[in-house]
Structure formats: structure tokens, C-alpha cells
Amino acid sequence: MPILRYVPRVALGDLTFPLHIFCFYIPTHSIYYYSMHQNSGDPLKAKGKILDLPGLWTVCVMEGGAVEWKGRGVGTQPPGLIVYCNSGFQALMLTALLVGLAVLAGLPLGALPEMLLPLAFAATFTTFIFSLFLYLKALVAPASALAPGGNSGNPIYDFFLGRELNPRVWSFDFKYFCELRPGLIGWVLINLAMLMQEAELRGSPSLAMWLVNGFQLLYVGDALWHEEAVLTTMDITHDGFGFMLAFGDLAWVPFTYSLQAQFLLHHPQPLGLPVASVICLINAVGYYIFRGANSQKNTFRKNPSDPRVADLETIPTATGRQLLVSGWWGMVRHPNYLGDLIMALAWSLPCGVSHLLPYFYLLYFTALLVHREARDEQQCLQKYGLAWHEYCRRVPYRILPYIY
Ligand code: NDP
């Protein structure tokens, strides 16, 4: 059946599927491969041993996933039915330990930058095969397990967006597992490899490289520490698990989010202490808003009577859930996105202003969050109706106070 027949019925937020592909997916992918090409040396020159790294990383992450860690509680989705293993931070620590030992034993981590292009292609190919498996698995899944948006009947569309909401084999949840661990841990590993390569080339890592590594490690450590918070995100509760999410999680995040470190390896930037201090301050402000807003909402959703949020003003909704209308969520309707974007700026600034490439993440992320915010608004309007209108009246700005 022709794909276009399905277009009017499968609107993706305010963008239709083909519009999404042509305006967003293809340009960003072209930049992705271009930047890989720009930043890679001749793969044939890479030392063979570095090929051990993806295997090592997979083993580390899988082992981390197997650690049953109940110290900080487990999330459930839907409530009371599934117990998730909340051990992302342990997976990061285990990876750090194993990679540290492997480097001591001679693993040439600094040779990884030369292998980025083939590794990126391998990750994309693996994701494609994995998504095929997810699609075939979804064909035999019960209707109750399918995602609302990924069940159009058009195989290409459903393969791309994902048919099944939370595909699992026994208690292993593919989406929950892939959402953070492999991509985020891969990202900081690539960053570390850039830092080590720079040390090999120039005697020591530059201040700019330390800042980028430090900021992004903080972001990744924070996300894995609060891993259970992912259970209330749109990715888990609304979107199917198909090529779009799988590619984003397993290939896009590690290889493009590390662009700043890749750039610094090839374009060293002098950075004085005063400028570095200002950039650290910007990152700290972004992190403060991001963490404050996310924690406030998570605490409130877990227990509205928690003393940390009990005094906040709320709007009741017909569903019985309430909406926060003071604190961070009274400032703008997505304060967590604002904090995230401020941090994205701080990650690009150490790379100077001579080239656009390090700002790719900031530009792409702004587009992603503006689109995501529009989708979330639409879903909240459906969920909360009049109460959502009232929230929008009381908190008129979406992400940036007085501007947007
Ligand atoms: P949010 O954490 O912003 O969650 C949106 C949901 O929060 C809504 O659907 C609604 O769900 C609830 N909500 C909205 N307003 C209120 C309110 N006033 N009071 C109480 N609850 C409210 O969504 P995301 O999943 O998009 O983002 C999570 C984090 O992940 C963000 O910090 C974002 O920046 C980050 N992120 C990072 C990405 C990256 O690539 N680095 C990509 C995407 C996100 P309900 O009412 O059902 O609880």
C-alpha cells in the first residue's frame, strides 16, 4: 500500500511523518556521517586491539544490568506490575573499573578516535537488525501491548516509530535497558578516549577537554543515578520502541553527543581560567534548574504529600492527578528543558566560536526539545483538558520566561 495513504492519520505531534523525516532526520543524519568522516582517520591504521572495546563495553553494560540493586528502590510501570532493575549507576561504575583495568593491561583506548566511523556504521547496522527483531516480535504481541502511535498498519512507519510500547523477554525490558545505559556509557567512553588521545598527542589534556569531559560525565552520572525517573518519560510511557528510539539510544547519542570532545581533539582551543570559570558557572546554573525541576516533579508524582513539595500550589484535574503551578513548574511549563539547554550551551563554549560544528548539539537539541514540548503539550491537553488550559493561562511561557 502506498505510504502516503497513511500520512493524514499518523501525524507526529505537529509534524507529519514525512515532514519529520525530511526536515529533521535526514539533515541531522547527514551531519552525523559528515562529522564522523571529518573526525576519523584511516581506520586501517587503527590498532587491532581497540576492536575489543565494543565487546568489552557491551559486557560491562549487560553485567551492570544484571546487578540486582534494591538500595535506592525500584520503579514500576505500570504501577505494581513490573519491577525494574535500577542499576544504571552501578553499570557505569563497573564499566569504569573494567575499562580502567583493561587500560592498565594495555587496551589502547586512545586509538578509538581512529575507529569512530566504522564503529558508527556498525552501531547503525546493529540497530537496524535489532529494530527488525523488535518489529517482528511486535507482530505476535497482543493488541494491548502496542503503542498508540506505532500501530498504523504501514510497515515502514511502524518499523520506524515502533509497534510495541515496552517489548520484553521475560522480565528484561529492551526499551528501559537501551534508553540510557549503552548510549550514555558509550558517550563518556568516547569522550575519555578523546581525552587520552589528546594527552598522547600533546602531552596532557587541555582545559577545554577536561571541562567537556567533566560536564558530560556529570550529566551521564546524574541520569544513571536517577535512572528510575525515565519510567515517567514520554519515551517509556507513550512512544513505541522501533528504529527511531533504538537508533537514537544506541548510535546517535554516543557518536554525536561526543562531538565537542571529537572537535577539541582536532581543533585545540586555548582557554584561560576566567573564561573557564564563567563556563563552569553557566553549567552549574543549567544543572541547578534541570535537576531542581526534574526532582521536584518526580518527588511530587511519587508522593504529593512529601514535605519537600507539599507546600507547592497545584491545579486539580479530572483524572485525580494534580498539576504543579508554583516552584519550578510555575516559572515555565518545561523548566527542565531550559536547564538542559543552558547546559548544552556550556558544553559547546569550551570549543570557542570559530566553528559551528561544536554547536550542532545545541541547535539539534533546541529543535528536539521544541518539538518534544509541542508533543507533550498535546498529550497533556488530551489528558487534562480544561485543567491544562488553566495551567497554560497561569504559566504562559513554555521553555524560556518572557520569550517562548
Ligand atoms: P518531562 O519530564 O518534562 O515530563 C513531561 C510530563 O510531566 C507531562 O507529560 C506530565 O505528565 C508531567 N507534567 C507536565 N507539567 C506538569 C506540572 N505542572 N506538574 C506536574 N506534572 C507535570 O518530559 P521528558 O521525558 O521530555 O524529559 C525528561 C528529562 O529528560 C528532561 O530534563 C529533558 O530535558 C531530558 N531529555 C534529554 C534528552 C537528551 O537527549 N539529552 C532527550 C529528551 C529529554 P504526567 O502529568 O502524566 O505526570
Side-chain angles (χ1 to χ4, degrees):
M1 259 183 224
I3 297 170
L4 282 175
R5 247 193 93 183
Y6 291 90
V7 168
R9 293 198 287 123
V10 291
L12 231 187
D14 52 341
L15 291 182
T16 55
F17 177 56
L19 201 63
H20 180 86
I21 297 286
F22 286 110
C23 295
F24 192 67
Y25 212 64
I26 291 176
T28 49
H29 278 228
S30 311
I31 296 171
Y32 164 62
Y33 290 116
Y34 171 75
S35 65
M36 290 301 112
H37 179 71
Q38 288 287 303
N39 289 321
S40 292
D42 182 353
L44 295 176
K45 287 188 204 148
K47 297 170 197 165
K49 273 172 91 179
I50 198 66
L51 289 172
D52 299 344
L53 195 69
L56 177 72
W57 165 32
T58 311
V59 171
C60 296
V61 174
M62 294 299 280
E63 279 180 357
V67 177
E68 189 69 31
W69 187 270
K70 294 193 171 143
R72 287 185 290 116
V74 288
T76 56
Q77 161 67 35
L81 283 185
I82 297 144
V83 176
Y84 285 96
C85 186
N86 178 21
S87 58
F89 194 75
Q90 287 70 31
L92 178 66
M93 292 293 103
L94 191 62
T95 307
L97 180 72
L98 292 181
V99 169
L101 289 175
V103 167
L104 285 179
L107 180 84
L109 191 61
L112 180 70
E114 294 175 55
M115 294 297 288
L116 275 187
L117 186 60
L119 285 175
F121 271 109
T124 305
F125 182 70
T126 310
T127 304
F128 187 80
I129 302 295
F130 178 48
S131 309
L132 268 184
F133 160 75
L134 292 173
Y135 180 74
L136 294 176
K137 182 180 175 315
L139 290 181
V140 292
S144 59
L146 301 184
N151 190 21
S152 70
N154 178 337
I156 298 175
Y157 181 83
D158 292 347
F159 167 82
F160 182 80
L161 268 203
R163 275 195 99 217
E164 203 175 343
L165 185 62
N166 299 114
R168 296 183 188 98
V169 170
W170 294 295
S171 63
F172 185 82
D173 185 320
F174 288 104
K175 200 209 277 179
Y176 178 72
F177 175 78
C178 292
E179 190 65 10
L180 297 182
R181 295 178 199 197
L184 294 193
I185 295 177
W187 172 15
V188 289
L189 264 185
I190 293 175
N191 276 355
L192 177 66
M194 300 297 149
L195 185 141
M196 291 183 64
Q197 172 80 324
E198 195 185 40
E200 275 174 31
L201 286 176
R202 301 188 188 107
S204 65
S206 63
L207 181 55
M209 183 67 93
W210 277 118
L211 288 192
V212 167
N213 264 261
F215 293 160
Q216 297 183 349
L217 183 61
L218 170 72
Y219 188 78
V220 167
D222 178 274
L224 293 172
W225 181 262
H226 296 100
E227 192 183 20
E228 82 284 356
V230 86
L231 291 172
T232 56
T233 61
M234 272 193 285
D235 289 1
I236 296 280
T237 60
H238 186 267
D239 298 341
F241 194 33
F243 184 76
M244 185 177 81
L245 263 187
F247 176 82
D249 292 343
L250 304 174
W252 180 261
V253 166
F255 292 100
T256 57
Y257 284 24
S258 54
L259 261 184
Q260 285 104 353
Q262 294 176 42
F263 176 84
L264 285 173
L265 180 62
H266 299 277
H267 307 86
Q269 300 292 320
L271 192 63
L273 270 183
V275 177
S277 310
V278 173
I279 297 174
C280 287
L281 187 66
I282 295 173
N283 193 65
V285 169
Y287 181 72
Y288 181 69
I289 299 174
F290 165 85
R291 179 52 30 229
N294 279 325
S295 292
Q296 196 168 66
K297 178 165 67 71
N298 286 338
T299 308
F300 182 73
R301 279 288 174 248
K302 268 192 206 158
N303 175 18
S305 326
D306 188 302
R308 285 170 291 176
V309 291
D311 291 339
L312 294 174
E313 218 181 320
T314 57
I315 299 178
T317 73
T319 64
R321 286 158 84 84
Q322 296 172 314
L323 290 168
L324 289 167
V325 75
S326 67
W328 289 113
W329 297 81
M331 185 173 81
V332 283
R333 300 206 290 273
H334 267 95
N336 47 356
Y337 290 1
L338 175 64
D340 226 334
L341 287 171
I342 295 173
M343 282 191 285
L345 173 67
W347 302 349
S348 305
L349 288 173
C351 304
V353 288
S354 60
H355 209 297
L356 194 61
L357 195 61
Y359 292 83
F360 168 69
Y361 174 73
L362 178 62
L363 298 175
Y364 146 81
F365 200 43
T366 304
L368 182 142
L369 289 185
V370 166
H371 179 231
R372 197 173 169 92
E373 201 275 341
R375 288 177 65 207
D376 190 45
E377 289 263 325
Q378 217 174 48
Q379 285 165 25
C380 286
L381 188 60
Q382 275 171 8
K383 261 188 290 186
Y384 301 125
L386 284 178
W388 188 257
H389 279 303
E390 171 62 8
Y391 178 52
C392 295
R393 193 188 63 75
R394 304 231 343 228
V395 184
Y397 293 99
R398 292 165 185 260
I399 299 178
L400 197 58
Y402 304 105
I403 295 181
Y404 179 72

